[in-house]
């Protein structure tokens, strides 16, 4: 199907409302990412603001680089970056050359597949960014050389696209795989900037060239992505944006309608069903939450340029959750699979939000970031409000099962509910803490998924600051908030998990006040169990107990096998454990009401090569109570 600039089509949305996608706005007149007015405004911003000038210079620098040399596409598609880790220690590899890949930790060198093709993932990604920046540079400068080079790269990909073998992360030709990349997810992340760049230079290209790029690349990739049907998921959000942007760029209203209005998986369904009542993306990870925000705005902007407003209040609430759950430095608690998403690093997303909704709290996040990003250049307000980065009040996100308890000198995040699908961790009643100006209680988040250590450690219960029963991993069940009180400088939550271990009821009550956290963990059952209360924090660990080295391993499975340098002992009465780091100290004072066995050791942290000290208190019986006070200085 070839777009005609004069044809006007009306598409009915899910609710029977005309979407008013016009042939004109869906193709030549829609630059998806921006428009002529925004480009002019951005030039003015760049004349008087260092941040805007830096963002524009970066685009122009990339574009100039993309003019160098010849266009030489790889002979095959790229592979999954999650393979690019050392199999021995999980550390990410360094690329020594296109065919040599070395672990910076242990020096092991890897060759062949899948490593060589992961390098090609980077090559294809750079071409996609080049197409985007060449398109923008053409619109900023009017220099036709940029448009010609973008056309050359796009034409080369149109010629090659159908010849690249479809492949998934295992190298198999299956639905879900891509041609440029190994997943429809990565194919989508690749396609969006390519569609942007194409729409920016489209009118400079000959009609026959346009037809080839539209049919053999944009629509072909959109069809491959669309054939892989998912439900409510961050990946589907990326796929929708890719299919929608390709549809707008190629004038294919059917693709646009599919991306926006498909009742099971379109953009509107993702917002209606994927965003919990308190604004958190249902997968329960701030990392995936931010990744979903990243996925959504390209289609919302492309639609906006076509006269379709997708920016509703439910979508807006996605920008509230990271604020509700941020520690004072902007870091999220690392709950679930989570690569980390500090608020300041999300500045580009808050530029979009401040431009569309003008809420001061969004502008304040943008103000804290360097603002040298594309969204600030194209959409950013010239002046953004100053003020605190995160709220000072405590927040309960009951629907998504998170709470953030804030006091002047101590902050605690607790997770009790909404397991979070495939990216959920078995860590109900997990506590992540902050005090004395730094993070202490740690959730290490996740590492590259291709590494066995990810499943063995990061997805174990003992890797988290909660209770492990009988050395087993918790079931993927939700807990709940039973009580919540906040005011007069103190916040208390009681949260429980009744079904993560059969026949065991776990209840944690946490109060944050001043620079202290009072923390009581009750375990109750009709049968006898072994209860392991664990706490992980970075720094140097000392304790009031006399501990002896050993055993070699506390247990052989469920994550315990990764706890090294174990020492153990039996406290008589109260005791303390203290972590020191960067001139600050964190002291845990433990009540010794019941007989206990204590272990210390070290285990992987955010970087798998880290050895983070941990304390395990073990009690046996039908019931057990762990009474701890966390003090920060
Ligand atoms: Zn290694
Ligand atoms: Zn976790």
């Amino acid at each position: 199907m070839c777009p005609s600039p004069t044809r006007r089509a009306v598409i009915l949305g899910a609710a029977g409302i005309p979407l008013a996608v016009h042939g004109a706005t869906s193709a030549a007149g829609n630059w998806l990412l921006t428009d002529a007015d925004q480009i002019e405004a951005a030039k003015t911003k760049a004349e008087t603001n260092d941040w805007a000038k830096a963002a524009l210079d970066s685009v122009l620098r990339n574009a100039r680089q993309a003019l160098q040399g010849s266009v030489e596409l790889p002979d095959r598609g790229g592979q999954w970056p999650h393979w690019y880790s050392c199999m021995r220690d999980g550390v990410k590899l360094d690329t020594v050359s296109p065919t040599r890949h070395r672990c910076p930790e242990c020096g092991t060198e890897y060759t062949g597949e899948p490593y060589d093709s992961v390098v090609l993932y980077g090559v294809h990604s750079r071409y996609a960014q080049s197409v985007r920046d060449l398109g923008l540079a053409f619109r900023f400068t009017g220099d036709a050389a940029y448009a010609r080079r973008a056309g050359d790269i796009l034409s080369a990909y149109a010629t090659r696209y159908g010849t690249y073998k479809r492949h998934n992360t295992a190298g198999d030709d299956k639905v879900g795989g891509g041609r440029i990349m190994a997943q429809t997810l990565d194919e989508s992340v690749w396609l969006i900037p390519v569609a942007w760049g194409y729409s920016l230079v489209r009118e400079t290209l000959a009609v026959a060239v346009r037809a080839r790029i539209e049919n053999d690349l944009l629509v072909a990739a959109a069809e491959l992505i669309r054939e892989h049907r998912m439900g409510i998921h961050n990946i589907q959000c990326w796929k929708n944006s890719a299919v929608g942007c390709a549809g707008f760029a190629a004038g294919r209203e059917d693709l646009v309608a599919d991306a926006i209005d498909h009742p099971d998986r379109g953009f509107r369904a993702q917002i209606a069903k994927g965003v919990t009542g308190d604004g958190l993306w249902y997968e329960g990870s701030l990392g995936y939450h931010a990744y979903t925000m990243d996925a959504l705005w390209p289609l919302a902007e492309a639609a906006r340029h076509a006269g379709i407003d997708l920016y509703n209040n439910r979508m807006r609430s996605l920008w509230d959750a990271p604020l509700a759950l941020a520690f004072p430095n902007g870091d999220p608690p690392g709950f679930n699979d989570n690569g980390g998403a500090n608020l300041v690093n999300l500045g580009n997303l808050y530029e979009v939000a401040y431009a569309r909704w003008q809420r001061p709290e969004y502008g304040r996040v943008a103000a804290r970031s360097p603002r040298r990003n594309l969204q600030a250049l194209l959409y950013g307000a010239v002046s953004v409000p100053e003020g605190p980065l995160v709220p000072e009040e405590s927040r309960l996100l009951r629907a998504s099962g998170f709470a953030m308890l804030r006091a002047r000198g101590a902050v605690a995040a607790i997770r009790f509910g909404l397991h979070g699908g495939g990216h959920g961790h078995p860590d109900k009643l997990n506590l992540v803490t902050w005090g004395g100006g730094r993070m202490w209680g740690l959730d290490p988040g996740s590492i590259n998924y291709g590494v066995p250590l990810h499943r063995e450690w990061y997805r174990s219960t003992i890797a988290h600051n909660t209770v492990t029963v009988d050395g087993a991993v918790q079931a993927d069940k939700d807990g709940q908030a039973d009580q919540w009180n906040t005011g007069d400088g103190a916040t208390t939550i009681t949260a429980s998990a009744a079904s993560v271990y059969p026949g065991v009821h776990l209840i944690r009550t946490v109060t944050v006040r001043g620079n202290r956290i009072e923390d009581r963990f009750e375990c109750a059952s009709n049968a006898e169990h072994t209860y392991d209360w664990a706490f992980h924090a970075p720094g140097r660990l000392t304790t009031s107990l006399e501990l002896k080295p050993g055993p070699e391993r506390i247990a052989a499975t469920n994550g315990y096998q990764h706890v090294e340098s174990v020492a153990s002992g039996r406290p008589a009465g109260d005791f303390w454990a203290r972590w020191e780091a960067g001139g600050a100290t964190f002291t845990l004072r433990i009540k010794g009401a019941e007989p206990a066995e204590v272990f210390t050791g070290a285990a992987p942290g955010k970087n798998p090569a880290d050895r983070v000290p941990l304390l395990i208190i073990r009690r046996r019986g039908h019931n057990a109570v762990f009474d701890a006070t966390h003090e920060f200085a």
Side-chain angles (χ1 to χ4, degrees), residues 334-337 425 427 430 443-445 458 464:
F335 297 139
N336 287 347
D337 281 347
H425 286 194
D427 66 336
N430 181 12
D443 185 316
Y458 294 82
H464 297 90

Side-chain angles (χ1 to χ4, degrees), residues 4-83:
S4 147
T6 54
R7 215 180 96 256
R8 297 172 81 82
V10 174
I11 304 217
L12 293 185
I17 300 162
L19 286 184
V21 178
H22 308 308
T25 45
S26 68
N30 184 353
W31 298 348
L32 313 182
L33 176 63
T34 187
D35 57 32
D37 291 343
Q38 283 177 350
I39 295 280
E40 286 312 308
K43 284 185 196 169
T44 307
K45 280 183 242 178
E47 281 164 14
T48 46
N49 300 278
D50 289 346
W51 53 268
K53 183 173 188 307
L56 178 55
D57 285 349
S58 161
V59 168
L60 298 177
R61 192 166 50 245
N62 288 345
R64 280 196 302 273
Q65 254 166 28
L67 292 177
Q68 309 299 314
S70 55
V71 177
E72 285 174 35
L73 302 188
D75 64 357
R76 62 191 189 281
Q79 250 305 343
W80 197 38
H82 280 276
W83 292 131

Side-chain angles (χ1 to χ4, degrees), residues 85-93 102-110:
S85 282
C86 178
M87 290 314 262
R88 294 168 60 177
D89 50 39
V91 172
K92 283 187 187 164
L93 303 179
R102 185 185 296 144
C103 173
E105 184 66 21
C106 70
T108 304
E109 204 163 290
Y110 295 82

Side-chain angles (χ1 to χ4, degrees), residues 396-583:
L396 171 64
L397 276 61
R398 193 182 285 278
S400 38
F402 291 69
M404 193 57 137
L405 288 70
R406 295 184 170 108
R408 199 181 304 276
V411 181
I414 185 167
R415 157 169 156 79
F416 51 86
L418 201 65
H419 183 70
H423 290 297
H425 286 194
D427 66 336
K428 299 307 161 332
L429 308 188
N430 181 12
L431 192 72
V432 175
T433 61
W434 167 283
R438 58 189 297 142
M439 296 275 285
W440 292 103
L442 177 80
D443 185 316
S446 56
I447 56 169
N448 268 350
Y449 303 154
V451 183
L453 186 66
H454 179 250
R455 180 175 35 79
E456 291 174 8
W457 176 251
Y458 294 82
R459 289 191 174 181
S460 73
T461 299
I462 195 64
H464 297 90
N465 301 327
T466 184
V467 165
T468 297
V469 179
D470 298 330
V473 172
Q474 292 182 359
D476 296 352
K477 295 287 185 357
D478 298 348
Q480 62 182 41
D482 302 308
Q483 284 186 46
W484 173 256
N485 274 303
T486 186
D488 292 334
T491 303
T492 299
I493 188 170
T494 299
S496 63
S499 51
V500 294
Y501 290 109
V504 179
H505 201 90
L506 302 177
I507 305 170
R508 193 167 205 167
T509 300
V510 175
T511 298
V512 177
R513 178 192 292 117
N515 63 346
R516 288 159 67 96
I517 299 170
E518 284 146 41
D519 174 14
R520 181 179 170 85
F521 206 129
E522 298 163 82
C523 314
S525 176
N526 291 325
E528 195 168 292
H529 296 284
T530 298
Y531 298 102
D532 285 346
W533 183 99
F535 209 83
H536 306 252
R540 196 174 71 88
L541 173 62
T542 52
T543 146
S544 61
L545 299 172
E546 293 269 337
L547 300 178
K548 293 204 169 63
E552 174 72 21
R553 290 285 180 267
I554 303 171
T557 56
N558 293 334
Y560 286 88
Q561 71 273 29
H562 294 293
V563 180
E564 298 175 354
S565 314
V566 177
S568 56
R570 290 182 182 276
D574 298 356
F575 69 96
W576 55 259
R578 180 170 297 140
W579 282 259
E580 292 166 76

